[in-house]
């Protein structure tokens, strides 16, 4: 049974895990678990975040998969990559001096996920995350409820 994280406490730079069947793994059926770190909660606290931005670790085939905490609880649903382009313009000449593109990843936050489940009358389970369970591999729990489509 998948569990949604019930307690707050996630902060930017905290470790999370991306799990899914990206690229050729969609054909082989072997899931991949990658470490990532939270960047931001779209200006909100974790509990109210509509979206979670995390370091780039998403590839084609990860969408719809879980974003997990250290205890294997779902903290978000993986959505897409996010490209952010910044330009530095010379104030004297008006020319672009540098153009930088940063890549990160986005997940739907628990607020939207819970709203969706409630609106569609789908029951869900929540549990808290504790430091004592951090040695447990989060994929050991999640591999029993994710499927390769």
């Amino acid at each position: 049974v998948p569990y949604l994280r019930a307690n707050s406490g996630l902060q930017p730079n905290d470790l999370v895990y991306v799990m899914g069947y990206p690229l050729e793994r969609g054909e082989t059926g072997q899931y991949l678990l990658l470490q990532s770190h939270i960047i931001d909660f779209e200006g909100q606290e974790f509990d109210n975040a509509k979206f979670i931005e995390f370091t780039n670790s998403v590839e084609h085939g990860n969408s719809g998969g879980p974003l997990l905490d250290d205890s294997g609880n779902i903290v978000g649903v993986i959505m897409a990559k996010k490209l952010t382009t910044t330009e530095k313009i010379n104030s004297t000449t008006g020319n672009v001096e540098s153009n930088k593109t940063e890549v990160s990843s986005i997940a739907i936050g628990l607020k939207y996920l819970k709203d969706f489940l409630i609106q569609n009358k789908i029951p869900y389970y929540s549990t808290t995350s504790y430091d004592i369970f951090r040695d447990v591999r989060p994929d050991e729990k999640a591999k029993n409820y994710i499927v390769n489509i």
Side-chain angles (χ1 to χ4, degrees):
V1 175
Y3 285 90
L4 306 182
R5 183 177 173 132
N7 59 323
S8 59
L10 279 180
Q11 301 291 324
N13 205 36
D14 280 356
L15 181 66
V16 288
Y17 296 88
V18 172
M19 188 169 179
Y21 299 90
L23 306 172
E24 72 280 347
R25 290 176 179 261
E27 294 176 20
T28 66
Q30 296 290 324
Y31 69 83
L32 180 64
L33 182 76
L34 293 174
Q35 289 186 357
S36 191
H37 289 88
I38 292 174
I39 296 172
D40 191 20
F41 299 111
E42 298 290 316
Q44 301 288 320
E45 295 294 320
F46 166 69
D47 294 344
N48 293 315
K50 295 177 183 177
F51 299 102
I52 300 169
E53 183 177 358
F54 54 99
T55 54
N56 182 37
S57 51
V58 169
E59 296 293 341
H60 179 74
N62 280 120
S63 299
L67 184 65
L68 305 167
D69 66 10
D70 285 4
S71 299
N73 298 315
I74 297 172
V75 298
V77 177
I78 298 165
M79 195 167 83
K81 285 188 177 193
K82 177 181 176 183
L83 301 174
T84 305
T85 302
T86 56
E87 295 179 341
K88 182 178 176 185
I89 299 175
N90 184 309
S91 59
T92 305
T93 65
N95 295 331
V96 175
E97 289 185 346
S98 66
N99 193 358
K100 182 179 178 185
T101 300
E102 294 181 10
V103 181
S104 59
S105 299
I106 298 289
I108 297 168
L110 288 182
K111 178 177 176 28
Y112 272 176
L113 177 57
K114 288 177 183 177
D115 288 350
F116 172 82
L117 295 172
I118 291 167
Q119 286 175 354
N120 291 284
K121 297 178 173 67
I122 300 169
Y124 64 89
Y125 301 95
S126 296
T127 189
T128 54
S129 294
Y130 297 101
D131 291 342
I132 60 172
F133 295 119
R134 285 195 173 171
D135 290 336
V136 175
R137 288 185 46 192
D139 59 314
E140 287 299 316
K141 289 168 105 176
K143 72 179 182 180
N144 295 315
Y145 63 77
I146 69 167
V147 293
N148 181 19
I149 299 176

